[in-house]
Amino acid sequence: MPVPVPRQRAIPAVEGGQAPQAAPAPASASASAASTDAVASKNGAKAGARNNARNGPKNGSKSSGKNGGRNGARSGTKDSAKDSTVEKNGSTHLTLLVIEDDPGGSTLVPELLDSAGNPIRVRTARNLTEAERLLTDDVHCILLDLEQPVPVRGDSDDELALLKHVLQLAPRHAVLALTATGDAERGTEAVRVGAQDYLFRDEMDGRLLSRAIRYAVERKRSDTAERRLAEGRVRAQENRRLERGLLPTPLLEGSSLRFAARYRPGRSRALLGGDFYDVVRTADGTVHAMIGDVCGHGPDEAALGVELRIAWRALTFAGLCGDELLGTLQQVLEHERADDEIFATLCTVDIAPDGRRAGLCLAGHPAPLIARPGKPARLLPYDNNGPALGLLPGARWPRMQVELGREWSLMLYTDGLIEGRVGEGRERLGQDGMVSLVRRQLAEGLRGESLLRAAVNEVRDLNGGELTDDVAVLLLDRLG
């Protein structure tokens, strides 16, 4: 298919590096996949050999033996710059794969230059089998003649069947469709199917095709980046929905207690960390609350925290409490953790149906804070604090009886609330600082979610920025 006198057609492409049109050269009939790579490589090798022979005696020992061969190879590479994959400035040369079925290798492509004035390499394939063999990672764009016969039976009625096969064969490559003059409808349909652009056969010249190749490659890169960004957004949305679903829904139906919680993961852009909590009311009217912390901040720790929370809820509804419940949770931890060094701290509180007393178990966890009218907020006793789960096989966790009174607020928290720094020094807030902070906020009349929000925000401000550790705080209130 010879190329007639060209007539330019404007296409949406980036200008630059315009090249003069070169006279076409006929291709060999015996070449099954003729490529300008071979010609340039051959010329470069000859030039390298000439330079090696010329420079060898001049440079003495540097040009002889190993170094002489290296210098000759360098000279050959320099003279064959048209075949080089990477320019001196680091930019990649463009490579075009032409798919056309003329067994004589019709002259379809004139001389092409990229935006930097470097030649665009050309490879030619007569069919899809050869195209698949030549479709290496250094190919940037494919030029496909839509007038070729369809190689697969049953697709003869589909004018774009060949294009669809090529798109399946090369999903990561830019594709230019070549169609008959005036057949804009087929070209437009080719772009809709997946090609980056189309050209009219008798309007193609070096300048136009060079510009179309550059445009197609950049558009493919842009489309790929946009698709990956969209896929990333979908995955992020799915992860957020999953994480929200893993956060607990307190089961307090029938209880007069008020519940509030605040959760802030330390992991960047995460909704769930290694901290976990839960509150349920069993059939006998007892309200059970729990808060825990798996060491670490990654997704594995977050998943383990969810497993422990779900196991705690199931065991609580099954009637387990105190040491028996914590011992079973330790077995769950030991079976589910990815590393023997992983442990978890835990605090459980079971509040009697009358709301005036509670049982407290601590497994290496900070003691809850209790606030009552007319009395300063203080920490509950923690003398019988047992070890964290997963540290000591066969450990025991004593259950302490605590008097709450008629009206109270009970705050359970993880150590992320007390380990933040105070100012620019190395001093930590600690439990005493946290108690003082909550006392002042209670004196200001803060209660419920407002109290938790103010506490977490002030701790963050004292730290001078976001806290690195996960923070979970829950509050149970009983009004007189």
Side-chain angles (χ1 to χ4, degrees):
M1 292 179 288
V3 179
V5 177
R7 177 168 58 86
Q8 296 180 2
R9 178 179 70 89
I11 62 171
V14 179
E15 285 288 348
Q18 298 178 357
Q21 181 181 353
S28 172
S30 62
S32 62
S35 172
T36 56
D37 296 355
V39 177
S41 178
K42 184 176 180 182
N43 292 337
K46 288 181 179 178
R50 287 196 301 268
N51 290 334
N52 188 21
R54 186 186 305 119
N55 297 331
K58 255 183 216 181
N59 297 331
S61 61
K62 290 183 180 180
S63 298
S64 62
K66 183 176 180 180
N67 290 334
R70 184 183 298 116
N71 291 337
R74 287 174 180 169
S75 299
T77 302
K78 183 177 181 181
D79 285 357
S80 61
K82 292 183 179 181
D83 183 51
S84 175
T85 303
V86 181
E87 303 174 45
K88 291 181 181 179
N89 61 7
S91 61
T92 303
H93 278 274
L94 295 178
T95 301
L96 175 70
L97 176 61
V98 180
I99 304 177
E100 51 93 10
D101 66 337
D102 189 340
S106 65
T107 306
L108 189 64
V109 180
E111 182 178 351
L112 305 172
L113 298 179
D114 63 17
S115 58
N118 300 295
I120 296 176
R121 310 194 314 176
V122 180
R123 298 176 184 173
T124 306
R126 294 178 300 181
N127 50 51
L128 291 182
T129 302
E130 289 187 359
E132 185 173 6
R133 180 172 58 84
L134 296 174
L135 198 60
T136 52
D137 289 339
D138 60 337
V139 173
H140 301 87
C141 185
I142 299 172
L143 180 62
L144 175 66
D145 186 356
L146 298 180
E147 295 297 326
Q148 298 181 67
V150 180
V152 182
R153 293 179 180 178
D155 289 341
S156 57
D157 295 336
D158 188 352
E159 293 182 343
L160 298 177
L162 182 61
L163 173 63
K164 294 175 182 177
H165 286 299
V166 171
L167 292 174
Q168 292 178 358
L169 182 67
R172 296 182 293 108
H173 295 76
V175 177
L176 280 173
L178 191 64
T179 186
T181 302
D183 194 0
E185 184 176 351
R186 180 186 288 193
T188 303
E189 184 66 13
V191 173
R192 188 193 66 80
V193 169
Q196 273 59 58
D197 202 356
Y198 70 93
L199 297 171
F200 293 141
R201 188 176 297 105
D202 66 349
E203 293 186 352
M204 186 180 65
D205 66 355
R207 175 179 173 276
L208 182 63
L209 181 55
S210 297
R211 195 176 66 168
I213 292 171
R214 299 195 302 272
Y215 166 75
V217 170
E218 292 304 320
R219 181 175 178 183
K220 183 65 177 181
R221 288 172 180 168
S222 176
D223 291 344
T224 301
E226 186 176 350
R227 185 183 69 252
R228 289 176 178 172
L229 180 60
E231 291 173 352
R233 287 172 178 168
V234 170
R235 284 195 297 270
Q237 291 173 356
E238 291 176 349
N239 290 338
R240 284 194 293 269
R241 285 195 293 267
L242 177 62
E243 289 176 335
R244 288 192 190 99
L246 293 176
L247 289 173
T249 301
L251 301 178
L252 287 173
E253 185 177 357
S255 173
S256 60
L257 300 183
R258 296 190 310 179
F259 168 83
R262 195 79 176 165
Y263 195 95
R264 184 190 295 272
R267 192 160 44 101
S268 176
R269 291 193 297 270
L271 294 178
L272 202 62
D275 292 2
F276 55 98
Y277 66 89
D278 205 352
V279 178
V280 298
R281 180 177 183 269
T282 51
D284 63 355
T286 302
V287 172
H288 303 261
M290 171 271 289
I291 195 165
D293 182 4
V294 178
C295 66
H297 313 291
D300 291 340
E301 289 76 11
L304 182 56
V306 172
E307 291 180 273
L308 292 175
R309 179 186 67 77
I310 294 174
W312 175 86
R313 177 177 284 200
L315 294 171
T316 299
F317 280 125
L320 275 66
C321 185
D323 182 71
E324 186 180 10
L325 186 149
L326 292 178
T328 308
L329 282 180
Q330 174 159 280
Q331 295 180 32
V332 173
L333 172 66
E334 291 171 346
H335 284 90
E336 296 298 328
R337 63 186 175 183
D339 191 305
D340 291 342
E341 301 298 321
I342 294 178
F343 63 90
T345 66
L346 196 70
C347 168
T348 66
V349 176
D350 54 279
I351 302 170
D354 63 6
R356 292 178 175 269
R357 61 189 185 279
L360 171 66
C361 287
L362 297 175
H365 200 88
L369 178 147
I370 186 169
R372 287 174 283 206
K375 297 181 180 180
R378 65 177 180 85
L379 299 176
L380 289 178
Y382 50 89
D383 297 337
N384 291 327
N385 195 341
L389 302 181
L391 290 182
L392 299 177
R396 305 299 299 270
W397 295 272
R399 178 176 177 271
M400 298 171 283
Q401 192 72 20
V402 178
E403 294 296 327
L404 300 177
R406 181 169 177 269
E407 184 176 344
W408 47 264
S409 294
L410 191 63
M411 189 175 83
L412 284 65
Y413 54 94
T414 57
D415 58 8
L417 187 68
I418 60 177
E419 290 187 347
R421 298 186 183 278
V422 180
E424 297 180 356
R426 301 179 61 86
E427 182 183 357
R428 304 276 184 176
L429 177 64
Q431 286 181 289
D432 292 339
M434 185 267 296
V435 171
S436 299
L437 183 150
V438 173
R439 283 177 179 175
R440 175 168 44 78
Q441 292 174 341
L442 287 170
E444 295 172 358
L446 297 177
R447 298 291 186 275
E449 291 187 5
S450 299
L451 173 64
L452 297 187
R453 181 169 54 252
V456 173
N457 288 342
E458 184 168 344
V459 169
R460 182 190 60 188
D461 293 341
L462 290 172
N463 188 62
E466 289 295 340
L467 300 165
T468 57
D469 198 4
D470 305 324
V471 177
V473 191
L474 68 87
L475 188 68
L476 290 171
D477 293 317
R478 184 176 189 268
L479 303 179

mmCIF file of all heavy atoms in Angstrom, residues 150-183:
data_model
loop_
_atom_site.group_PDB
_atom_site.id
_atom_site.type_symbol
_atom_site.label_atom_id
_atom_site.label_comp_id
_atom_site.label_asym_id
_atom_site.label_seq_id
_atom_site.Cartn_x
_atom_site.Cartn_y
_atom_site.Cartn_z
ATOM 1 N N VAL A 150 -9.674 -10.108 9.304
ATOM 2 C CA VAL A 150 -9.726 -10.567 10.683
ATOM 3 C C VAL A 150 -9.143 -11.972 10.759
ATOM 4 O O VAL A 150 -9.555 -12.862 10.021
ATOM 5 C CB VAL A 150 -11.181 -10.564 11.204
ATOM 6 C CG1 VAL A 150 -11.232 -11.037 12.640
ATOM 7 C CG2 VAL A 150 -11.760 -9.165 11.074
ATOM 8 N N PRO A 151 -8.184 -12.223 11.656
ATOM 9 C CA PRO A 151 -7.541 -13.530 11.699
ATOM 10 C C PRO A 151 -8.345 -14.615 12.400
ATOM 11 O O PRO A 151 -7.999 -15.776 12.318
ATOM 12 C CB PRO A 151 -6.247 -13.243 12.473
ATOM 13 C CG PRO A 151 -6.615 -12.127 13.388
ATOM 14 C CD PRO A 151 -7.589 -11.275 12.616
ATOM 15 N N VAL A 152 -9.406 -14.242 13.085
ATOM 16 C CA VAL A 152 -10.179 -15.212 13.861
ATOM 17 C C VAL A 152 -11.535 -15.424 13.212
ATOM 18 O O VAL A 152 -12.241 -14.470 12.892
ATOM 19 C CB VAL A 152 -10.362 -14.724 15.321
ATOM 20 C CG1 VAL A 152 -11.125 -15.754 16.127
ATOM 21 C CG2 VAL A 152 -9.000 -14.454 15.958
ATOM 22 N N ARG A 153 -11.901 -16.660 13.011
ATOM 23 C CA ARG A 153 -13.190 -16.963 12.414
ATOM 24 C C ARG A 153 -14.327 -16.556 13.343
ATOM 25 O O ARG A 153 -14.219 -16.644 14.550
ATOM 26 C CB ARG A 153 -13.293 -18.462 12.125
ATOM 27 C CG ARG A 153 -12.317 -18.944 11.039
ATOM 28 C CD ARG A 153 -12.471 -20.436 10.827
ATOM 29 N NE ARG A 153 -11.542 -20.912 9.799
ATOM 30 C CZ ARG A 153 -11.435 -22.192 9.446
ATOM 31 N NH1 ARG A 153 -12.184 -23.112 10.051
ATOM 32 N NH2 ARG A 153 -10.577 -22.539 8.509
ATOM 33 N N GLY A 154 -15.429 -16.169 12.719
ATOM 34 C CA GLY A 154 -16.600 -15.774 13.502
ATOM 35 C C GLY A 154 -16.648 -14.302 13.799
ATOM 36 O O GLY A 154 -17.659 -13.801 14.278
ATOM 37 N N ASP A 155 -15.543 -13.573 13.526
ATOM 38 C CA ASP A 155 -15.512 -12.134 13.795
ATOM 39 C C ASP A 155 -15.537 -11.309 12.518
ATOM 40 O O ASP A 155 -15.271 -10.110 12.544
ATOM 41 C CB ASP A 155 -14.246 -11.772 14.580
ATOM 42 C CG ASP A 155 -14.294 -12.270 16.013
ATOM 43 O OD1 ASP A 155 -15.418 -12.557 16.466
ATOM 44 O OD2 ASP A 155 -13.240 -12.384 16.646
ATOM 45 N N SER A 156 -15.830 -11.946 11.389
ATOM 46 C CA SER A 156 -15.756 -11.238 10.113
ATOM 47 C C SER A 156 -16.784 -10.121 10.002
ATOM 48 O O SER A 156 -16.606 -9.183 9.241
ATOM 49 C CB SER A 156 -15.939 -12.239 8.958
ATOM 50 O OG SER A 156 -17.180 -12.933 9.109
ATOM 51 N N ASP A 157 -17.868 -10.197 10.761
ATOM 52 C CA ASP A 157 -18.899 -9.162 10.707
ATOM 53 C C ASP A 157 -18.554 -7.939 11.551
ATOM 54 O O ASP A 157 -19.208 -6.908 11.433
ATOM 55 C CB ASP A 157 -20.241 -9.747 11.168
ATOM 56 C CG ASP A 157 -20.756 -10.828 10.216
ATOM 57 O OD1 ASP A 157 -20.352 -10.797 9.039
ATOM 58 O OD2 ASP A 157 -21.529 -11.688 10.674
ATOM 59 N N ASP A 158 -17.567 -8.068 12.386
ATOM 60 C CA ASP A 158 -17.170 -6.961 13.264
ATOM 61 C C ASP A 158 -16.018 -6.221 12.617
ATOM 62 O O ASP A 158 -14.912 -6.758 12.473
ATOM 63 C CB ASP A 158 -16.759 -7.494 14.634
ATOM 64 C CG ASP A 158 -16.523 -6.390 15.640
ATOM 65 O OD1 ASP A 158 -16.530 -5.198 15.245
ATOM 66 O OD2 ASP A 158 -16.330 -6.698 16.831
ATOM 67 N N GLU A 159 -16.242 -4.961 12.220
ATOM 68 C CA GLU A 159 -15.210 -4.191 11.552
ATOM 69 C C GLU A 159 -14.026 -3.881 12.457
ATOM 70 O O GLU A 159 -12.939 -3.571 11.962
ATOM 71 C CB GLU A 159 -15.801 -2.876 11.026
ATOM 72 C CG GLU A 159 -16.826 -3.057 9.908
ATOM 73 C CD GLU A 159 -17.330 -1.721 9.397
ATOM 74 O OE1 GLU A 159 -17.134 -0.715 10.106
ATOM 75 O OE2 GLU A 159 -17.904 -1.696 8.302
ATOM 76 N N LEU A 160 -14.233 -3.933 13.733
ATOM 77 C CA LEU A 160 -13.155 -3.606 14.673
ATOM 78 C C LEU A 160 -12.671 -4.830 15.435
ATOM 79 O O LEU A 160 -12.051 -4.705 16.497
ATOM 80 C CB LEU A 160 -13.638 -2.539 15.657
ATOM 81 C CG LEU A 160 -14.030 -1.196 15.038
ATOM 82 C CD1 LEU A 160 -14.548 -0.249 16.110
ATOM 83 C CD2 LEU A 160 -12.856 -0.561 14.298
ATOM 84 N N ALA A 161 -12.946 -6.016 14.910
ATOM 85 C CA ALA A 161 -12.536 -7.236 15.602
ATOM 86 C C ALA A 161 -11.021 -7.306 15.757
ATOM 87 O O ALA A 161 -10.504 -7.691 16.808
ATOM 88 C CB ALA A 161 -13.053 -8.464 14.855
ATOM 89 N N LEU A 162 -10.284 -6.921 14.692
ATOM 90 C CA LEU A 162 -8.829 -6.958 14.762
ATOM 91 C C LEU A 162 -8.310 -5.998 15.831
ATOM 92 O O LEU A 162 -7.395 -6.332 16.595
ATOM 93 C CB LEU A 162 -8.234 -6.611 13.392
ATOM 94 C CG LEU A 162 -6.701 -6.646 13.304
ATOM 95 C CD1 LEU A 162 -6.189 -8.039 13.607
ATOM 96 C CD2 LEU A 162 -6.231 -6.168 11.935
ATOM 97 N N LEU A 163 -8.888 -4.804 15.885
ATOM 98 C CA LEU A 163 -8.484 -3.843 16.906
ATOM 99 C C LEU A 163 -8.725 -4.396 18.307
ATOM 100 O O LEU A 163 -7.889 -4.246 19.199
ATOM 101 C CB LEU A 163 -9.249 -2.532 16.714
ATOM 102 C CG LEU A 163 -9.069 -1.477 17.812
ATOM 103 C CD1 LEU A 163 -7.616 -1.031 17.890
ATOM 104 C CD2 LEU A 163 -9.979 -0.284 17.566
ATOM 105 N N LYS A 164 -9.843 -5.050 18.499
ATOM 106 C CA LYS A 164 -10.158 -5.613 19.819
ATOM 107 C C LYS A 164 -9.158 -6.692 20.198
ATOM 108 O O LYS A 164 -8.755 -6.807 21.364
ATOM 109 C CB LYS A 164 -11.575 -6.155 19.822
ATOM 110 C CG LYS A 164 -12.639 -5.071 19.657
ATOM 111 C CD LYS A 164 -14.035 -5.653 19.546
ATOM 112 C CE LYS A 164 -15.072 -4.551 19.342
ATOM 113 N NZ LYS A 164 -16.445 -5.105 19.165
ATOM 114 N N HIS A 165 -8.732 -7.492 19.191
ATOM 115 C CA HIS A 165 -7.712 -8.501 19.472
ATOM 116 C C HIS A 165 -6.397 -7.846 19.881
ATOM 117 O O HIS A 165 -5.718 -8.306 20.811
ATOM 118 C CB HIS A 165 -7.491 -9.390 18.244
ATOM 119 C CG HIS A 165 -8.598 -10.372 18.009
ATOM 120 N ND1 HIS A 165 -8.941 -11.356 18.912
ATOM 121 C CD2 HIS A 165 -9.443 -10.529 16.950
ATOM 122 C CE1 HIS A 165 -9.951 -12.080 18.432
ATOM 123 N NE2 HIS A 165 -10.280 -11.588 17.244
ATOM 124 N N VAL A 166 -6.037 -6.773 19.211
ATOM 125 C CA VAL A 166 -4.796 -6.079 19.537
ATOM 126 C C VAL A 166 -4.868 -5.456 20.930
ATOM 127 O O VAL A 166 -3.905 -5.505 21.692
ATOM 128 C CB VAL A 166 -4.489 -5.009 18.467
ATOM 129 C CG1 VAL A 166 -3.324 -4.119 18.907
ATOM 130 C CG2 VAL A 166 -4.164 -5.661 17.131
ATOM 131 N N LEU A 167 -5.998 -4.880 21.267
ATOM 132 C CA LEU A 167 -6.156 -4.283 22.592
ATOM 133 C C LEU A 167 -6.058 -5.330 23.700
ATOM 134 O O LEU A 167 -5.535 -5.057 24.784
ATOM 135 C CB LEU A 167 -7.500 -3.553 22.678
ATOM 136 C CG LEU A 167 -7.635 -2.293 21.800
ATOM 137 C CD1 LEU A 167 -9.053 -1.755 21.861
ATOM 138 C CD2 LEU A 167 -6.632 -1.222 22.222
ATOM 139 N N GLN A 168 -6.563 -6.530 23.430
ATOM 140 C CA GLN A 168 -6.418 -7.612 24.401
ATOM 141 C C GLN A 168 -4.965 -8.077 24.480
ATOM 142 O O GLN A 168 -4.469 -8.430 25.559
ATOM 143 C CB GLN A 168 -7.324 -8.781 24.017
ATOM 144 C CG GLN A 168 -8.808 -8.497 24.148
ATOM 145 C CD GLN A 168 -9.670 -9.663 23.701
ATOM 146 O OE1 GLN A 168 -9.157 -10.693 23.248
ATOM 147 N NE2 GLN A 168 -10.979 -9.514 23.818
ATOM 148 N N LEU A 169 -4.291 -8.075 23.330
ATOM 149 C CA LEU A 169 -2.905 -8.513 23.280
ATOM 150 C C LEU A 169 -1.974 -7.515 23.961
ATOM 151 O O LEU A 169 -0.986 -7.914 24.583
ATOM 152 C CB LEU A 169 -2.481 -8.701 21.810
ATOM 153 C CG LEU A 169 -1.058 -9.198 21.531
ATOM 154 C CD1 LEU A 169 -0.911 -10.630 22.028
ATOM 155 C CD2 LEU A 169 -0.749 -9.108 20.042
ATOM 156 N N ALA A 170 -2.288 -6.230 23.838
ATOM 157 C CA ALA A 170 -1.404 -5.180 24.363
ATOM 158 C C ALA A 170 -2.195 -4.174 25.182
ATOM 159 O O ALA A 170 -2.376 -3.020 24.769
ATOM 160 C CB ALA A 170 -0.697 -4.487 23.203
ATOM 161 N N PRO A 171 -2.680 -4.543 26.366
ATOM 162 C CA PRO A 171 -3.505 -3.620 27.157
ATOM 163 C C PRO A 171 -2.736 -2.433 27.710
ATOM 164 O O PRO A 171 -3.330 -1.429 28.081
ATOM 165 C CB PRO A 171 -4.026 -4.516 28.296
ATOM 166 C CG PRO A 171 -3.007 -5.609 28.416
ATOM 167 C CD PRO A 171 -2.498 -5.846 27.031
ATOM 168 N N ARG A 172 -1.389 -2.525 27.768
ATOM 169 C CA ARG A 172 -0.595 -1.446 28.363
ATOM 170 C C ARG A 172 0.019 -0.524 27.317
ATOM 171 O O ARG A 172 0.754 0.396 27.661
ATOM 172 C CB ARG A 172 0.524 -2.045 29.228
ATOM 173 C CG ARG A 172 0.025 -2.833 30.423
ATOM 174 C CD ARG A 172 1.167 -3.375 31.274
ATOM 175 N NE ARG A 172 1.938 -4.385 30.560
ATOM 176 C CZ ARG A 172 3.161 -4.198 30.096
ATOM 177 N NH1 ARG A 172 3.738 -3.013 30.237
ATOM 178 N NH2 ARG A 172 3.817 -5.159 29.486
ATOM 179 N N HIS A 173 -0.237 -0.786 26.034
ATOM 180 C CA HIS A 173 0.384 0.001 24.966
ATOM 181 C C HIS A 173 -0.613 0.949 24.319
ATOM 182 O O HIS A 173 -1.809 0.652 24.234
ATOM 183 C CB HIS A 173 0.965 -0.931 23.899
ATOM 184 C CG HIS A 173 2.094 -1.786 24.392
ATOM 185 N ND1 HIS A 173 1.887 -2.887 25.190
ATOM 186 C CD2 HIS A 173 3.435 -1.700 24.197
ATOM 187 C CE1 HIS A 173 3.055 -3.452 25.471
ATOM 188 N NE2 HIS A 173 4.010 -2.751 24.879
ATOM 189 N N ALA A 174 -0.096 2.079 23.842
ATOM 190 C CA ALA A 174 -0.923 3.008 23.072
ATOM 191 C C ALA A 174 -1.168 2.420 21.683
ATOM 192 O O ALA A 174 -0.316 1.730 21.128
ATOM 193 C CB ALA A 174 -0.214 4.353 22.957
ATOM 194 N N VAL A 175 -2.350 2.693 21.124
ATOM 195 C CA VAL A 175 -2.727 2.138 19.825
ATOM 196 C C VAL A 175 -3.240 3.259 18.929
ATOM 197 O O VAL A 175 -4.114 4.047 19.341
ATOM 198 C CB VAL A 175 -3.802 1.041 19.968
ATOM 199 C CG1 VAL A 175 -4.238 0.530 18.592
ATOM 200 C CG2 VAL A 175 -3.274 -0.116 20.813
ATOM 201 N N LEU A 176 -2.698 3.330 17.707
ATOM 202 C CA LEU A 176 -3.184 4.239 16.676
ATOM 203 C C LEU A 176 -3.857 3.417 15.587
ATOM 204 O O LEU A 176 -3.289 2.434 15.105
ATOM 205 C CB LEU A 176 -2.020 5.020 16.071
ATOM 206 C CG LEU A 176 -1.492 6.228 16.854
ATOM 207 C CD1 LEU A 176 -0.238 6.757 16.176
ATOM 208 C CD2 LEU A 176 -2.541 7.316 16.943
ATOM 209 N N ALA A 177 -5.065 3.799 15.218
ATOM 210 C CA ALA A 177 -5.803 3.093 14.170
ATOM 211 C C ALA A 177 -5.645 3.827 12.843
ATOM 212 O O ALA A 177 -5.757 5.057 12.777
ATOM 213 C CB ALA A 177 -7.273 2.982 14.554
ATOM 214 N N LEU A 178 -5.388 3.067 11.778
ATOM 215 C CA LEU A 178 -5.249 3.627 10.433
ATOM 216 C C LEU A 178 -6.456 3.198 9.611
ATOM 217 O O LEU A 178 -6.742 1.996 9.482
ATOM 218 C CB LEU A 178 -3.962 3.110 9.777
ATOM 219 C CG LEU A 178 -3.527 3.795 8.486
ATOM 220 C CD1 LEU A 178 -3.196 5.253 8.733
ATOM 221 C CD2 LEU A 178 -2.335 3.064 7.887
ATOM 222 N N THR A 179 -7.202 4.170 9.093
ATOM 223 C CA THR A 179 -8.427 3.855 8.369
ATOM 224 C C THR A 179 -8.448 4.559 7.019
ATOM 225 O O THR A 179 -7.601 5.408 6.734
ATOM 226 C CB THR A 179 -9.657 4.265 9.202
ATOM 227 O OG1 THR A 179 -10.840 3.831 8.548
ATOM 228 C CG2 THR A 179 -9.708 5.768 9.389
ATOM 229 N N ALA A 180 -9.414 4.164 6.188
ATOM 230 C CA ALA A 180 -9.513 4.734 4.846
ATOM 231 C C ALA A 180 -9.868 6.212 4.922
ATOM 232 O O ALA A 180 -10.506 6.677 5.870
ATOM 233 C CB ALA A 180 -10.563 3.979 4.033
ATOM 234 N N THR A 181 -9.459 6.952 3.884
ATOM 235 C CA THR A 181 -9.721 8.382 3.839
ATOM 236 C C THR A 181 -11.221 8.653 3.903
ATOM 237 O O THR A 181 -12.015 8.056 3.179
ATOM 238 C CB THR A 181 -9.138 8.978 2.553
ATOM 239 O OG1 THR A 181 -7.743 8.700 2.507
ATOM 240 C CG2 THR A 181 -9.366 10.478 2.501
ATOM 241 N N GLY A 182 -11.599 9.557 4.780
ATOM 242 C CA GLY A 182 -12.998 9.926 4.905
ATOM 243 C C GLY A 182 -13.808 9.017 5.801
ATOM 244 O O GLY A 182 -14.977 9.302 6.090
ATOM 245 N N ASP A 183 -13.233 7.901 6.249
ATOM 246 C CA ASP A 183 -13.976 6.961 7.089
ATOM 247 C C ASP A 183 -13.816 7.364 8.561
ATOM 248 O O ASP A 183 -13.282 6.612 9.386
ATOM 249 C CB ASP A 183 -13.477 5.544 6.860
ATOM 250 C CG ASP A 183 -14.419 4.492 7.445
ATOM 251 O OD1 ASP A 183 -15.453 4.894 8.016
ATOM 252 O OD2 ASP A 183 -14.118 3.287 7.335
#
